[in-house]
Amino acid sequence: MNNVRKWLFSDIAVGAVLTVLILAAFLWQWRPLEDMEYRIYDLGLSLRQESVKSPPVAIVAIDDESIANIGRWPWPRGHIAQMIGYLSGCGAKVIGVDILYSEAD
């Protein structure tokens, strides 16, 4: 019975010492432990990641040729609305419009 108590006590002592050492390593941000944590995190993300094809990105810009064909700026808001409607009809998920209308239509 005495041997069992010594064995149990030594296991508990080793476990406590290891726990304190690991907690101290996390508290003081021991570099090898951080590297291991980052590698495990990256591995988990790479296993979880699906192979997703990135959708095409289209930038619709107003250039000199467009101004020559449609007319001087600012264009009527109806033209901009038609462009947005066309892009939406083509299946655009996000449409961003960055236009400053400083003059009346």
Side-chain angles (χ1 to χ4, degrees), residues 1 5 10 14 16 19 22 37 39 47 52 56-57 67 82:
M1 187 73 171
R5 283 187 180 170
S10 67
V14 168
T19 302
I22 289 174
E37 180 184 1
R39 286 189 181 127
L47 292 175
V52 177
V57 175
I67 291 176
Q82 285 176 348

Side-chain angles (χ1 to χ4, degrees), residues 40-52:
I40 290 172
Y41 181 75
D42 288 343
L43 176 68
L45 286 181
S46 67
L47 292 175
R48 197 172 147 205
Q49 184 179 15
E50 301 173 8
S51 61
V52 177

Side-chain angles (χ1 to χ4, degrees), residues 18-79:
L18 287 175
T19 302
V20 168
L21 287 175
I22 289 174
L23 287 175
F26 272 114
L27 275 175
W28 285 295
Q29 297 176 345
W30 189 42
R31 185 71 183 163
L33 197 58
E34 281 186 345
D35 289 343
M36 183 178 68
E37 180 184 1
Y38 293 149
R39 286 189 181 127
I40 290 172
Y41 181 75
D42 288 343
L43 176 68
L45 286 181
S46 67
L47 292 175
R48 197 172 147 205
Q49 184 179 15
E50 301 173 8
S51 61
V52 177
K53 294 181 180 178
S54 61
V57 175
I59 298 176
V60 179
I62 299 170
D63 57 357
D64 291 334
E65 183 180 344
S66 302
I67 291 176
N69 290 336
I70 297 177
R72 72 175 198 86
W73 189 258
W75 292 341
R77 286 162 178 79
H79 287 311

